[in-house]
Amino acid sequence: MLATEQATFTFIATSDISAKAKGRAVASSDFSADTSVGWVPANLGIGPLGYIVDGIPFCSEGDLRLQADSASQYHIAGLPGRAPFSVCFADTVMPDGTAWSSCARSLLKETLQLAKDRYGLTFSCSFEHEFVEKNSALNTHPFSFENFLQGEPLGSTIFSVLSAAGVEPECWLPEYAPHQYELTLKPTDPVSAADRAILLREVVKESFKAAGREVTFSPVAVPDGGGTGVHVHYGIYGEGGEIVAFDPERPGRQSELAARFNAGVVKYAPEMTALFAPLLVSYQRLRPNNWSVAKAFCGLQNREALVRICPTNEIGGRKPDRQYHFEFRGGDVGANPWTLVTAILRAGLAGLEENLDPVKVYEGGTGPEIAAEAVSLPGSLKEALARFEESAVVRSWFSEEWVQTFLAIKRNEIESLSSLTLKEQCEAYANLY
Ligand code: GLU
Ligand code: MG
C-alpha cells in the first residue's frame, strides 16, 4: 500500500544510549548512498529524561556524522494523518568517516565480524515486542479475539505499513496482561533485526496516536500489571549458513558449540543486566512467577529461562535443524537494540573464548533445582550498575567513554526518579517509552 508514494524526507536515524530514536532529515530527492549529516558527541549523554547529564566525558566540543547506510532504508507510507517518509539507519562516524568508538551500531557490526573471523559463525536474529494500550476502559481478557478486534484498525494498519516497508512482521496477537499486544518480526541478520526493532516501536506508537489512542512499551506499565518484554531470538550458523547449533543427541538438542556459547550468555548475565534491563521499573518485571526472568539459566519448555530453547515446528515432517534457535528473554524497551544484541553475542563469544563447560539445560518442571542452582540476576538498577561497573569483561565490549556515559545517565535516572512512588515511576516510564 502506497509504498511508492513519494516521500519529502529521508530521516537519517540512530538510536541513542537510552533507546530513543533520533536523527535528522534530508530531502529524499537529495539522498544518495553517501549521504551523511552532522551529529554531536555529547548527544550520547542525553538520558531518557531528555537532557545531557553531568559527569560525562563529552562537552560542547567535537563533531561527528551520521553516515547513512543506504542498504538499511525503509519507506513508511499509510500511517493515518502522516505524510509518507523514508528512514535510513546510520552509523555514527568521525568527520573523516572512520568509526566512532561509541557507535552502538558499529559495535554490533564489529562483534559480527569478530564472530565470523574467529569462530566462523553467523547469526539470525528477530525481535519480539510486547506493549500495552494505556487508559483503555474496554474489556480485556488474555489472548482474546475480543482484544484482537479492539486493536483494529490499528493492528491492520501497523502490519500493512511494516510489511510494505520490508520490516517483515510475522505475528500480531493479544497478549496475557490487560490491554497488552505483541508483534513479532521474521528473522533476518542481527543489524537489520535491531534496525527494524527501532522502527517498529515508532510505527506502533504513531499508529495509536493517530487514532487518538496511546501505547507504552515500558516493562511494567502499572504496578503488578504484568510484564512487557523485548525478547530477542537468535540462531547460530556457520559462515555459509551451515547447521552448527542443532545436535539431536545432546541435552535440549543443543550442540556442544551452542551450549558453550549459551554458557557465556548465562555466566555474564548478572554483569550485563544493567544493559538489557536499564530502567528502574525493569526490576519489577524481572521477578519470579512473572513469565519473565529472575535467574540466569538455559531452559527447555520453561518461559522463565533467561535463554529459552525455542520449540520447533515439526508438523508434517518439517525439519527442526535449521529452525532450531534460542530466545533471550531478559530485555526490555530501555535497552538500545544494537547494544542489546551486541551484549548477547559478546557474552556468547566469551563462552567460546573461555571454553566454558556446556550450559546445563533445565527442562520444564525443574523448579526446585533451578531455585537451588541458578544464579540470581541483580534485584535493582542500582545493584545491576554496580555489577556492570565491576565487570572488566563486560566493560571491555564498549569504549570507556560509552561506559562512563552509561553509568552517569543511569545514576542520574536513579537520583531523579527514586523518590517517586512505584506507581509514579511506572507512570513516568509509561510516558517516556
Ligand atoms: N510478558 C512476558 C515478559 O514480560 C513474556 C510473556 C511471553 O511472551 O512468554 O517478558
Ligand atoms: Mg509474549
Side-chain angles (χ1 to χ4, degrees), residues 128 130 173 175 180 182 231 329:
E128 191 177 302
E130 296 173 330
L173 57 135
E175 246 284 4
Q180 190 181 43
E182 177 171 316
H231 302 172
R329 294 175 62 85

Side-chain angles (χ1 to χ4, degrees), residues 39-351:
W39 203 243
V40 177
N43 287 358
L44 192 71
I46 303 174
L49 301 175
Y51 51 83
I52 299 175
V53 303
D54 290 337
I56 59 163
F58 302 106
C59 59
S60 54
E61 289 159 25
D63 281 299
L64 297 168
R65 297 198 72 77
L66 296 180
Q67 170 69 64
D69 178 351
S70 61
S72 307
Q73 237 192 112
Y74 297 89
H75 187 71
I76 304 292
L79 286 179
R82 303 289 189 267
F85 58 91
S86 294
V87 174
C88 186
F89 287 96
D91 298 324
T92 310
V93 298
M94 303 296 286
D96 66 1
T98 52
W100 184 47
S101 60
S102 294
C103 169
R105 195 167 188 268
S106 305
L107 274 182
L108 175 54
K109 288 181 176 173
E110 281 169 30
T111 302
L112 293 167
Q113 196 60 50
L114 177 81
K116 203 180 230 174
D117 294 345
R118 196 170 298 168
Y119 303 101
L121 295 179
T122 61
F123 301 88
S124 69
C125 186
S126 72
F127 277 66
E128 191 177 302
H129 282 88
E130 296 173 330
F131 49 89
V132 169
E133 180 163 6
K134 290 163 74 175
N135 308 316
S136 174
L138 297 171
N139 283 343
T140 185
H141 185 89
F143 314 121
S144 66
F145 190 51
E146 187 181 12
N147 280 32
F148 166 77
L149 292 175
Q150 283 166 191
E152 286 303 300
L154 303 172
S156 293
T157 302
I158 292 164
F159 214 89
S160 57
V161 167
L162 292 176
S163 297
V167 173
E168 300 191 285
E170 184 174 61
C171 193
W172 163 254
L173 57 135
E175 246 284 4
Y176 179 78
H179 309 293
Q180 190 181 43
Y181 295 95
E182 177 171 316
L183 182 54
T184 67
L185 301 178
K186 291 180 185 162
T188 178
D189 68 278
V191 176
S192 302
D195 292 350
R196 292 173 186 187
I198 294 162
L199 200 50
L200 175 146
R201 297 169 190 188
E202 303 304 319
V203 168
V204 168
K205 283 189 281 188
E206 274 310 303
S207 300
F208 273 80
K209 259 190 229 163
R213 296 164 68 172
E214 236 188 312
V215 291
T216 176
F217 288 77
S218 171
V220 180
V222 287
D224 300 317
T228 290
V230 174
H231 302 172
V232 178
H233 291 250
Y234 57 97
I236 310 174
Y237 301 92
E239 224 173 308
E242 303 88 347
I243 310 290
V244 298
F246 183 77
D247 182 344
E249 306 304 323
R250 294 183 51 85
R253 303 195 291 181
Q254 186 173 200
S255 71
E256 190 175 328
L257 175 127
R260 289 189 199 283
F261 183 94
N262 286 326
V265 179
V266 167
K267 174 177 173 182
Y268 286 105
E271 295 164 48
M272 67 184 204
T273 302
L275 301 174
F276 63 75
L279 310 178
L280 270 94
V281 294
S282 299
Y283 298 83
Q284 300 298 316
R285 171 176 169 261
L286 297 185
R287 291 188 308 192
N289 309 317
N290 209 20
W291 287 44
S292 65
V293 178
K295 293 201 155 230
F297 68 94
C298 176
L300 181 69
Q301 294 175 3
N302 187 323
R303 286 186 176 72
E304 299 219 331
L306 175 75
V307 175
R308 171 177 169 247
I309 299 176
C310 293
T312 50
N313 175 359
E314 291 167 49
I315 298 171
R318 285 178 177 80
K319 285 183 75 179
D321 52 1
R322 188 160 292 283
Q323 301 171 41
Y324 184 83
H325 73 279
F326 310 98
E327 177 188 38
F328 181 89
R329 294 175 62 85
D332 68 49
V333 71
N336 172 301
W338 296 314
T339 306
L340 176 55
V341 180
T342 296
I344 297 166
L345 299 186
R346 286 277 176 175
L349 294 176

